[in-house]
Amino acid sequence: MGFVRDSVKEAENKTTGFVVPKPVIKPPPSSPPEDFKALQVIVESDKMCELKFGSYCLWRRQHREKMKDYLVRKMKDQLYVARAYYPSIAKVPHLDQFTQEMKQNIQEFERILSESSSDPDLPPQVEKKLQKMEATIAKAKLAIVECNNVDKKLRQLVDLTEDEANFHMKQSAFLYQLAVQTTPKSLHCLSMRLTVEYFKATPIDADQSESFLNPNLHHYVMFSSNVLASSVVINSTVMNARASRKQVFHVLTDKQSFFSMKMWFYTNSYKDATVQVLNIEDLNIEGHLFSHLSMPQELRVSFLSASESRTEYISVFSHWHYALPMIFPTLKKIVVLDDDIVVQRDLSELWSLDMNGKVIGALQLCTVRLGALKGYMGKENYDANSCTWMSGLNIIDLVRWKDRDVTRKYQSLVQQKPSEATTIRAAMLTFQGLLVALDNTWVLSGLGHNYGISKEAINKAAVLHFNGNMKPWLELGISPYKVHWRKYLNLDNHFLTDCNVNP
């Protein structure tokens, strides 16, 4: 248990939270009812939880279970309060009869609770006993006694309850983060099976180098170590394309996932599209930032005000995204996709997008301004009112990228000690003045944490972005949204059935 208590501290992720001062409101003449007060406490608790733990609290709210064994819990509470009052009542000589009555009630509750641990185990007429104990406690409260002992006992109860509640919340948040960050057993099985099959079959790729280098085709680039996620992205893009023969997909992965990726895309076809799998460790790219595969990063930003609490997840490029011109020197334009998206519409219009001389097209998130990231932005000069931008779906003009020397600008911002803070700052500042905002109909984000997205909004979007912790391939994924991801999986594939892959 000691290990768990230490570990749960890791669940308190770094966050940028903003507490807006509450307006001063005069209380109404009459006090609100007790149930309203209780509801108010729960709401305030939920707000603080979201500020501290982000999407875990959104998940917990949706999966909150009805309290079990309510009567047993109520009996335990009443017993604790009765025990707190009993020593003070017993010291008053003229309350001997009431003391005896109270003692009998306490002993009866102790006997019942020693024999019953759940509501079905309780004896009949237990509700009458609860009413009797409630009346006894009410009478004890009216007695004129020395209150120090009662006060001490009740404060102990409150402190113990708060400590236990905080511990269980941290423990639960830690387990949630563990579930989010751990590869599901079925996906691990899939990767291992594909790797084994690759070395058994040693497939030989057809020579498609002309397609890989042809700047007149539509090139899509994705960094991923997740076979299933990559497959869904490519399949959904191809299935909704008017002309798949012009599509070329470049999947960049690490050495560990390379062979499973190769086997999967060797044994699965995607209409007339071409798929290339690259091991980044085989690429001769200079610079300490490009020593190992790094995925797009996600930053959680939680806001707290008097009227609402809100959590956003901002996804940004990894270090390797800034090596794209070096990896694809012959290409002029590319579309960069994250592996947690689903495409619902033809994307070919992106190649005719007027970029007004800019380097990158991206979705802007104006619900989070750069000023909200001041903890990450440091002392750099920037417009605090500028919108942040998201990875997920990005169109990049590699010719202008080279002309503006974007990679060198990024490296100078990251400097010699890359960290989460420097990466976020560099990602936001590198494209200042070089970004054109994509229309909001292109991308709908938030499907990995926001339970409140409407079906209408989902159906209208060209791309669904599952940014946030609740990815669609995880058991924790939001069920109503997962169906849009699952329909691009071929669950009859023998590798998937053998590994029991059924997100």
Side-chain angles (χ1 to χ4, degrees), residues 317-461:
F317 283 176
S318 69
H319 298 315
W320 267 97
H321 284 78
Y322 298 92
L324 287 171
M326 295 177 272
I327 300 171
F328 304 106
T330 64
L331 303 184
K332 297 177 181 178
K333 260 188 182 180
I334 58 173
V335 167
V336 180
L337 307 172
D338 284 0
D339 68 358
D340 59 352
I341 68 163
V342 168
V343 177
Q344 300 190 123
R345 199 171 82 203
D346 179 54
L347 300 182
S348 59
E349 295 174 23
L350 286 171
W351 267 266
S352 57
L353 179 72
D354 181 7
M355 297 184 67
N356 296 317
K358 308 294 186 184
V359 169
I360 184 173
L363 174 72
Q364 286 194 311
L365 190 68
C366 291
T367 54
V368 181
R369 307 277 177 170
L370 286 185
L373 306 181
K374 55 187 177 183
Y376 290 88
M377 302 305 290
K379 297 180 180 179
E380 301 287 345
N381 292 323
Y382 63 93
D383 180 4
N385 202 41
S386 293
C387 301
T388 54
W389 65 273
M390 297 268 283
S391 67
L393 174 72
N394 304 101
I395 176 79
I396 294 178
D397 187 326
L398 291 176
V399 176
R400 290 197 177 95
W401 181 301
K402 294 172 188 174
D403 291 343
R404 297 300 187 99
D405 206 3
V406 171
T407 302
R408 185 179 295 276
K409 182 179 179 182
Y410 174 79
Q411 289 176 318
S412 67
L413 286 167
V414 173
Q415 298 174 339
Q416 298 300 315
K417 295 182 179 179
S419 64
E420 181 187 50
T422 55
T423 301
I424 298 295
R425 180 175 70 246
M428 291 299 153
L429 297 180
T430 297
F431 296 107
Q432 275 196 125
L434 303 177
L435 184 145
V436 61
L438 294 179
D439 187 271
N440 286 339
T441 58
W442 275 108
V443 186
L444 177 65
S445 61
L447 279 81
H449 70 276
N450 185 355
Y451 283 88
I453 301 174
S454 68
K455 288 182 180 179
E456 183 182 6
I458 289 174
N459 294 333
K460 284 182 178 179

Side-chain angles (χ1 to χ4, degrees), residues 197-212:
E197 290 300 319
Y198 177 88
F199 286 106
K200 281 183 181 178
T202 56
I204 300 173
D205 293 330
D207 185 9
Q208 296 173 313
S209 56
E210 185 179 340
S211 297
F212 298 152

Side-chain angles (χ1 to χ4, degrees), residues 81-91 99-100 102-103 106 150:
V81 174
R83 282 173 172 169
Y85 275 99
Y86 179 75
S88 299
I89 297 292
K91 291 178 181 178
T99 300
Q100 189 62 28
M102 199 171 191
K103 182 179 179 181
I106 290 173
V150 177

Side-chain angles (χ1 to χ4, degrees), residues 40-50 57 60 169:
Q40 207 171 28
V41 170
I42 292 171
V43 170
E44 291 298 320
S45 175
D46 278 350
K47 286 182 180 180
M48 292 306 298
C49 175
E50 192 172 335
C57 304
R60 186 186 71 160
M169 180 184 285

